[in-house]
Amino acid sequence: MKLKIYVVKKQQIIWGFVILAIIIVAAIVLLMMKTKQTINTFNQPNTYYTDLNNDGKTDSIFVSTDEKTSAYTVTVQTDEKKTFTLEPDSTIKSLGFFNTNWPMNLTCKDLDNDKTQEIIIQSSDEKGPILHVYKVYEDKIAKIMSGRYSIFGMIKSKDLEPIVVVGRKDRENLSYQYFTLNSNGPIPYVMPTSMNLGKLALNSLISYMETQEAETSNIEANNKILEVISKGKFLDGNLHEVKYDKYDVPSECTYMIRTEEETEIGLETTIYQVRLGLQKYDSKNPQYKILSVNKIK
C-alpha cells in the first residue's frame, strides 16, 4: 500500500514538472510574439491589410514612393472597392519622403471609441518629423490632424475619454499637446498637470541619447541602463502603453523611440523600448524614473 502511494506521488511530481514546462514555454512564446508585434510597428512601408470600418472585411492600404523624388503616396482601398488617396498637410505639402534610416511608421488604431480605426502616419522630410492622422467615413477619408510632431500616443483611462497626445521636441525641451476627437475633428483638451506621462524623464533620456553626457542631460538612471544606449540622433517615437494606479494616475508609461546612429557600415536606425515609472506623485509635477531601456533593433 505504501508503495502505491509513493508511485502516485511520483507521477504527480512528474506531471507537475510537465505542466510547469508548458507554462514556461507558453510565456516565452507570448513574449516573443509581443516583441515581434512591437518591431513590426516600425516596418518599412509596403501594403497593409486591416479592417478599417469594422464591417468584418479586409481593407488595403498601399504605400508607394515616387521613383524620382521618393515622395510617399498612400492609397486606401475598401472592401467595397472604393479607392481614396490620402491628402497631405496643406503647409508641409507631402506625406514625407522615403529614407532608409527613417522609414514611415504606419499604424491603425481606434482613437475615439467609435469602433472604426484611424490611420496614423509618422514620416519625415529634410526639415524633420511629420505626423498625419486620418479618419475613415463611409464615403471619404478625411485628414483630422497633421503637423511637425515627433511624438504620438493616446490615453484611455477609466475617468477620461480617449485623449490623443502629440509632442514636439526642440533642442532643449519636449512639449505635449492634448486633444479629444469628435465628428468634426480634434478639440484641444486641458490636461491636468498630474498627467505629464513622464515627459521630463523622457526628455532627459533623449538628451542623453544624443550627447552621451549624463550630467548635462540631467538623467537619473543606473549604469546598466545607460550601457544599453548608443549615441544617436532622435527621430521620433510613440507612447506605446500606459498603466494606471487605483487613483487613475499613470503609474507606468512605455515609449517606443527611434534614433539614427552612425555604425561601422553607415547610418542605421535604432529602436528602443523605454519604460518610465512613477517615482513620486505630485498633483502639479509628478516625478518619473527610468525603469528600463531595451534596444530591440
Side-chain angles (χ1 to χ4, degrees), residues 18-226:
V18 171
I19 293 171
L20 180 61
I22 292 173
I23 293 173
I24 293 173
V25 171
I28 293 173
V29 170
L30 288 173
L31 181 61
M32 291 176 66
M33 289 176 63
K34 184 175 181 181
T35 303
K36 184 177 180 181
Q37 291 170 354
T38 300
I39 296 173
N40 284 343
T41 303
F42 293 87
N43 273 352
Q44 181 172 319
N46 200 330
T47 303
Y48 300 79
Y49 300 98
T50 186
D51 182 4
L52 291 170
N53 52 9
N54 194 35
D55 63 355
K57 299 178 181 179
T58 301
D59 305 306
S60 303
I61 305 174
F62 303 99
V63 181
S64 59
T65 57
D66 185 277
E67 292 183 359
K68 294 182 179 180
T69 66
S70 295
Y72 286 117
T73 298
V74 179
T75 304
V76 178
Q77 186 178 68
T78 66
D79 60 282
E80 299 176 349
K81 306 305 178 184
K82 295 179 181 178
T83 301
F84 306 94
T85 299
L86 303 188
E87 295 295 327
D89 180 277
S90 58
T91 301
I92 300 174
K93 298 181 180 180
S94 82
L95 296 178
F97 296 83
F98 176 74
N99 184 331
T100 305
N101 302 316
W102 196 343
M104 176 187 287
N105 174 22
L106 190 153
T107 56
C108 299
K109 185 180 295 186
D110 183 3
L111 301 177
D112 53 5
N113 281 351
D114 67 349
K115 297 183 180 180
T116 64
Q117 297 190 81
E118 280 67 51
I119 302 171
I120 304 107
I121 298 175
Q122 288 178 283
S123 57
S124 66
D125 61 11
E126 72 279 359
K127 294 182 179 180
I130 303 173
L131 172 72
H132 287 89
V133 181
Y134 298 88
K135 186 167 184 61
V136 179
Y137 297 94
E138 289 186 6
D139 58 345
K140 65 178 181 178
I141 297 180
K143 174 172 55 66
I144 59 174
M145 183 179 293
S146 61
R148 292 200 175 277
Y149 299 101
S150 52
I151 298 286
F152 179 85
M154 68 176 303
I155 304 171
K156 282 189 175 182
S157 68
K158 293 182 297 182
D159 296 337
L160 297 174
E161 57 186 316
I163 296 171
V164 171
V165 184
V166 293
R168 281 194 173 98
K169 179 74 176 77
D170 59 25
R171 296 184 64 179
E172 296 183 357
N173 300 312
L174 176 62
S175 59
Y176 282 176
Q177 292 177 270
Y178 306 90
F179 300 89
T180 57
L181 299 179
N182 64 15
S183 58
N184 297 319
I187 301 173
Y189 183 87
V190 180
M191 180 66 75
T193 54
S194 59
M195 303 284 282
N196 67 20
L197 305 171
K199 180 178 60 177
L200 294 179
L202 181 63
N203 187 51
S204 296
L205 178 63
I206 292 173
S207 177
Y208 179 78
M209 287 176 171
E210 295 191 323
T211 65
Q212 294 284 287
E213 297 177 1
E215 292 185 4
T216 57
S217 302
N218 294 319
I219 189 171
E220 295 183 8
N222 60 51
N223 290 333
K224 288 185 178 180
I225 291 177
L226 298 182

